[in-house]
Amino acid sequence: MTIRQAVREDVPLILDFIKGIAAYEKMSADVKANEEMIASEVFDHHRAEVIFVEEDGKPVGFALYFYNFSTFVGHSGLYLEDLFVYPEYRGKGYGKALFMYLVRMAVAQGCGRMEWVCLNWNQPSIDFYRSMGAVPMSEWTTYRLTADTMRALVDKA
């Protein structure tokens, strides 16, 4: 098992993993990302980073993450947007390896915390995260404005 940082040539692979997690989460219709967007956002603008876990040189899982900032903690944090291992490779420790890689990186970089969201029905992931010591933020609700909603707000203002 090896973990490596993504490079620009991995853009099609990144998109494949995004489509894989979207299918698993029953959200394939929501994927708007394409290779050009990923190349621009990840490699040109450095708005996110991607790592892969490989078995015998074959990518079997990925994690996409970026940094945020906590005003209360006074430090940056690592935000895990996606962690996905292909179903046929689950149970071999690949997800844990990706997760722990990011935890170690967050500690080494002095991050005040690491956060992510998880779908309420995804009990295998919930069980995994809890086994790692994570606690749900049950007193918080995630809110979202889509690009269309933001444009409508701007147009109204």
Side-chain angles (χ1 to χ4, degrees):
M1 171 189 331
T2 58
I3 295 179
R4 69 170 177 88
Q5 200 75 28
V7 295
R8 183 177 290 275
E9 292 74 30
D10 290 318
V11 166
L13 180 60
I14 295 168
L15 185 57
D16 285 345
F17 273 105
I18 290 169
K19 289 177 179 178
I21 194 169
Y24 175 75
E25 293 178 347
K26 301 169 184 68
M27 300 176 75
S28 292
D30 293 336
V31 175
K32 307 294 185 242
N34 61 42
E35 290 182 13
E36 293 77 23
M37 292 171 173
I38 293 167
S40 175
E41 295 295 314
V42 174
F43 297 103
D44 295 337
H45 298 292
H46 307 285
R47 293 195 173 122
E49 297 184 46
V50 176
I51 57 173
F52 296 107
V53 62
E54 297 179 333
E55 177 183 272
D56 298 325
K58 178 184 178 184
V60 298
F62 95 126
L64 187 144
Y65 62 97
F66 55 89
Y67 295 92
N68 57 17
F69 187 83
S70 170
T71 54
F72 288 9
V73 175
H75 288 280
S76 61
L78 190 148
Y79 188 86
L80 174 58
E81 178 67 20
D82 287 319
L83 189 151
F84 181 71
V85 174
Y86 286 130
E88 60 270 26
Y89 293 96
R90 293 185 188 152
K92 296 182 175 187
Y94 296 130
K96 184 175 183 179
L98 284 169
F99 189 84
M100 288 306 301
Y101 182 93
L102 294 174
V103 169
R104 286 184 190 95
M105 186 174 18
V107 169
Q109 294 178 5
C111 291
R113 58 185 169 205
M114 182 170 151
E115 296 178 314
W116 61 93
V117 297
C118 183
L119 290 166
N120 292 333
W121 60 259
N122 192 347
Q123 197 60 49
S125 292
I126 292 168
D127 293 344
F128 168 73
Y129 293 135
R130 285 183 180 246
S131 77
M132 301 302 288
V135 293
M137 303 286 295
S138 58
E139 68 275 13
W140 297 85
T141 300
T142 301
Y143 289 89
R144 176 179 292 160
L145 291 174
T146 65
D148 290 340
T149 305
M150 289 186 291
R151 280 191 288 279
L153 281 171
V154 168
D155 290 345
K156 258 201 292 195

